[in-house]
Amino acid sequence: MKAAFIIGHGGNEVVKVRACEPVKRRPGEVLVRVEAATLNQVDLYMRNSGAGITHQLPQIMGLDAAGVIEGVDASETLLTVDQRVVIHPGITCGRCEFCQRGEGVLCTKMQLLGEHRHGTFAQWISVPAQNVFPMPQGLTFAQAAAMGVNYLTAWRMLFTKARVKPWETVLVFGIGGGVSLAAMQLAKAIGAKVIVTSREDSKLERALAMGAAHGINSTTQDVAKAVMAYTGGRGVDVVIENVGEAVWSMAMKSLVRGGRLVTCGATTGDQPPADLRRIFIRQLQILGSTHGDFSEFRALLSFIEQSGIVPVLDSEYPLDRIHEALTRLESGQQFGKIALQLMS
């Protein structure tokens, strides 16, 4: 079996693709032949430092994946050998107060694939049966793999946290990234109007071609002023952002009174000015969100199949070219998901 390991921290040279012992399935787990996985920002973080995340090196990278079941308990009634499946990367304890009340995403002992334990950048993986879900029809393995992190994160942000309605307007920062594209597609699919931002006109043009209502170049335009001009001075109902400090002020200023801002990241810094007066005078809601639980994943997969949404892929690489894939992600030039083909 081949897998991509982190053997240290500090750049591409610490990532090695090498042979390793075949994975062994334990009772209650499902053995999956991984056909495709996608890269996420946390893969760069784990490669560069992994600070604050409990892990042991060497560690197999990768959070999400799609593949084919090769082994399962004889007593399993929902999953079968040769079934195409996608993997939810959060391994929960099942016993803490949050798991007990059905909020596994808040599990106090959550272990994420590729962060706290061996991940999906391997040709086979064994995970608990509860983390394996039937793959939506009509998608390739690479497209389906994108469901496990970016689309699930966007789903929770939009529908669990912000509770977006079809008649509302949503502002999505940084179109081109995985979560942002997923948020645009999902919000548009229920009928919401979506405004997107980017520093590149080419990405805005692609988003508009996909159905975004309006695009704002955050390099050449004042985002908040552009939002107000487009909305007739009202502002947007919901802001979806994962950038953090660099966009925080303009995100807050773009909201209508009583609007909701949902954040799931802080790639440019995590200490923006709070702007408390704006928050309490305009009665804004600031909502944090990370990933999603099993029920949300099940709902997302059903919605994807019914709506016909197809995840956007930027590029695909064989596992042996993981360094090129990581460099592509690090460049920020991608539009959509960067995928790895594990069996090519």
Side-chain angles (χ1 to χ4, degrees), residues 296-326:
E296 289 167 323
F297 197 37
R298 191 175 297 108
L300 165 67
L301 296 174
S302 177
F303 185 82
I304 291 293
E305 190 163 276
Q306 293 173 16
S307 66
I309 288 176
V310 177
V312 180
L313 295 181
D314 173 85
S315 48
E316 299 184 51
Y317 297 85
L319 180 61
D320 289 335
R321 292 172 58 195
I322 187 173
H323 296 105
E324 294 176 57
L326 288 166

Side-chain angles (χ1 to χ4, degrees), residues 80-204:
T80 61
V81 171
D82 294 330
Q83 186 176 11
R84 294 184 170 203
V85 293
V86 291
I87 292 174
H88 183 295
I91 312 299
T92 58
C93 74
R95 300 180 66 85
C96 71
E97 63 173 293
F98 303 103
C99 286
Q100 289 291 305
R101 68 189 193 201
E103 296 183 281
V105 71
L106 298 177
C107 176
T108 58
K109 297 181 179 179
M110 171 84 75
Q111 289 189 316
L112 289 168
L113 302 178
E115 293 187 41
H116 308 99
R117 56 189 285 167
H118 285 321
T120 59
F121 293 175
Q123 291 177 312
W124 282 270
I125 190 170
S126 184
V127 294
Q130 66 180 2
N131 289 78
V132 180
F133 293 76
M135 188 173 125
Q137 295 184 16
L139 300 183
T140 66
F141 286 112
Q143 290 166 342
M147 296 292 107
V149 176
N150 286 169
Y151 280 78
L152 179 54
T153 298
W155 179 273
R156 181 174 177 84
M157 293 176 79
L158 286 166
F159 304 125
T160 302
K161 293 292 187 172
R163 300 184 182 275
V164 172
K165 305 298 189 297
W167 54 85
E168 292 186 313
T169 302
V170 180
L171 172 63
V172 177
F173 277 89
I175 202 65
V179 172
S180 299
L181 268 172
M184 183 191 78
Q185 288 181 288
L186 291 169
K188 179 180 175 296
I190 69 160
K193 184 180 293 185
V194 183
I195 302 171
V196 298
T197 80
S198 175
R199 292 176 294 179
E200 301 175 34
D201 285 335
S202 60
K203 290 185 178 182
L204 293 174

